[in-house]
Amino acid sequence: MGMDERAGQDLILVTGGAGYVGSHANKLLHRHGYDTVVLDNLAYGHKECSKWGSFVLGDLADRDALLDLFEKNRFTAVMHFAAYTYVGESTDFPEKYYQNNVANTLNLLNAMIEHGVRRMVFSSTCAVYGNPVKIPIPEDHPLDPISPYGRGKQMVETILEDLSEAHGLRYASLRYFNAAGADPEGEIGEWHDPETHLIPLVLDAALGRREDVKIFGTDYDTPDGTCIRDYIHVTDLAAAHLAALEYLETKHKSGIFNLGNGNGFSVRQVIDEARRVTGREIRTRQVERRPGDPDALIGSSEKASRTLGWTPRFTDLPEIIGTAWEWHKKLNSEILRA
Ligand code: UFG
């Protein structure tokens, strides 16, 4: 039985499927013949980005609604993207992050166990590592998160481990590095409000919607003094979710995987490349370091490549920024103006 045939029978619950990474995974699931139900409270997600499968407006805090959803649908697996993702905010309002990202995830897991759904692909983060002691970072690098956001994600990983022992849950915890870029077909892309991420802010400056881009710190221990990050294309992240799902189905094992492209780019490199890709002027302003930013974060995704057969396809920066630029122009000219 080919992958697409088997997939044809499968219904996947995609929490946070109206969000940035979730919407791209939802699109790819449909391309591979899966059916999906997107559950999203639209706190940060956008209905316009939930274009495939059915959509349910709902919150993971609502345990009755969750049980009802599992009652009505026979899910074969859950892809769990729904979470708050502002690292800085998590330091100011940790309770908000523990409630939504940890406690509400437990509600979801309870509903899964109760209804015999035993496969989850979980959105984790490289923030579980904290300040790296080794680059590129392997999965067995010490976990020492420095924000409530990262600590909450680590807690969920621990919960998943315990549930897999107790209830035979099979999970893949995917530790993303810096998600970037947009659907190459331009249907969906990054759309945060407020926006805090480097690439969309740089593109905003290119569009003239912002005066300039702040460079947070120029005295880091890197070749040009600005922070280095591992930007991984969102379509590659989506593909890794499918590979992980297939792994859970066929190997019946759990696993933790880094998802990065293995290349680091500095803030200045990103800005220079965005100037080339857009052909526009992008003004910059050097400001103080942002608290909690390590010099460099680069992941080793060797395990994902070996175990899941996943390798990123959009590894060069012009391509990542190019897809983001096409989407960003559309977002500003058509979607936000509509
Ligand atoms: N940066 C700037 N100016 C800006 C915004 C960002 O210089 O206006 C810099 C940051 O200091 C950092 C780099 O650009 O060095 C990337 O910053 P982002 O905010 O785009 O992304 P982060 O690396 O902070 O965050 C990402 C994910 C988080 C995850 C984190 C783990 O968005 O979910 O990686 O480190 F937790």
Side-chain angles (χ1 to χ4, degrees):
M1 186 156 63
M3 176 177 161
D4 289 356
E5 262 172 84
R6 185 183 51 244
Q9 303 150 16
D10 287 353
L11 179 63
I12 313 296
L13 174 63
V14 184
T15 75
Y20 177 36
V21 186
S23 61
H24 288 78
N26 187 35
K27 174 170 180 173
L28 211 60
L29 280 166
H30 281 267
R31 177 150 296 174
H32 285 263
Y34 289 88
D35 196 7
T36 61
V37 173
V38 167
L39 175 69
D40 203 297
N41 65 4
L42 298 182
Y44 292 103
H46 304 277
K47 185 78 204 302
E48 297 91 323
C49 293
S50 181
K51 293 177 190 268
W52 303 272
S54 53
F55 178 82
V56 175
L57 180 66
D59 199 296
L60 297 175
D62 188 343
R63 285 193 262 177
D64 292 337
L66 263 180
L67 289 172
D68 192 48
L69 188 68
F70 277 81
E71 198 79 49
K72 289 196 177 119
N73 298 279
R74 286 179 63 88
F75 298 120
T76 44
V78 176
M79 285 195 184
H80 179 36
F81 298 95
Y84 294 146
T85 60
Y86 294 105
V87 179
E89 185 189 52
S90 80
T91 306
D92 297 332
F93 302 101
E95 64 287 356
K96 179 173 168 179
Y97 279 69
Y98 291 125
Q99 179 63 52
N100 192 39
N101 295 6
V102 183
N104 292 350
T105 294
L106 205 48
N107 291 344
L108 174 63
L109 287 163
N110 271 315
M112 287 175 64
I113 303 295
E114 191 155 321
H115 287 270
V117 180
R118 290 200 159 68
R119 288 178 204 138
M120 175 182 271
V121 182
F122 172 63
S123 300
S124 189
T125 169
C126 65
V128 296
Y129 298 115
N131 288 311
V133 295
K134 184 179 165 188
I135 291 271
I137 304 173
E139 287 84 355
D140 61 2
H141 182 284
L143 302 184
D144 191 11
I146 54 173
S147 66
Y149 170 75
R151 278 194 279 275
K153 290 285 183 178
Q154 187 194 355
M155 285 174 197
V156 173
E157 288 195 351
T158 308
I159 292 170
L160 289 171
E161 197 184 327
D162 290 345
L163 266 57
S164 80
E165 283 294 320
H167 304 297
L169 177 85
R170 295 293 171 257
Y171 68 93
S173 188
L174 304 183
R175 295 175 177 163
Y176 314 160
F177 282 72
N178 285 54
D183 170 33
E185 287 155 9
E187 290 190 279
I188 44 179
E190 189 164 14
W191 180 1
H192 293 118
D193 190 10
E195 188 52 81
T196 60
H197 296 95
L198 180 65
I199 292 175
L201 291 174
V202 166
L203 298 179
D204 257 357
L207 281 180
R209 293 184 77 240
R210 251 167 234 276
E211 284 261 303
D212 53 27
V213 181
K214 291 183 196 146
I215 298 179
F216 293 144
T218 52
D219 58 349
Y220 283 97
D221 187 15
T222 60
D224 69 17
T226 65
C227 288
I228 291 177
R229 293 290 177 270
D230 179 334
Y231 295 90
I232 176 74
H233 196 280
V234 66
T235 300
D236 284 326
L237 288 181
H241 284 73
L242 265 85
L245 186 61
E246 208 192 342
Y247 175 79
L248 298 181
E249 283 169 1
T250 56
K251 299 286 194 294
H252 311 287
K253 279 198 284 196
S254 296
I256 295 177
F257 303 96
N258 282 340
L259 300 180
N261 82 35
N263 286 315
F265 299 104
S266 73
V267 172
R268 282 197 207 281
Q269 282 178 305
V270 168
I271 296 168
D272 285 341
E273 199 55 63
R275 289 189 176 116
R276 272 191 287 276
V277 168
T278 64
R280 308 274 180 103
E281 183 190 13
I282 298 169
R283 290 213 198 126
T284 59
R285 182 155 44 108
Q286 298 178 15
V287 300
E288 286 298 293
R289 290 181 175 204
R290 187 175 66 175
D293 276 337
D295 303 55
L297 284 173
I298 301 172
S300 162
S301 303
E302 205 258 320
K303 186 180 171 194
S305 142
R306 196 170 10 95
T307 316
L308 303 177
W310 171 85
T311 42
R313 290 172 47 222
F314 301 91
T315 49
D316 70 88
L317 195 54
E319 204 170 14
I320 293 175
I321 296 177
T323 57
W325 175 234
E326 290 310 314
W327 160 255
H328 207 76
K329 283 187 290 189
K330 178 169 163 181
L331 177 66
N332 284 284
S333 65
E334 295 171 27
I335 302 171
L336 293 177
R337 220 159 269 178

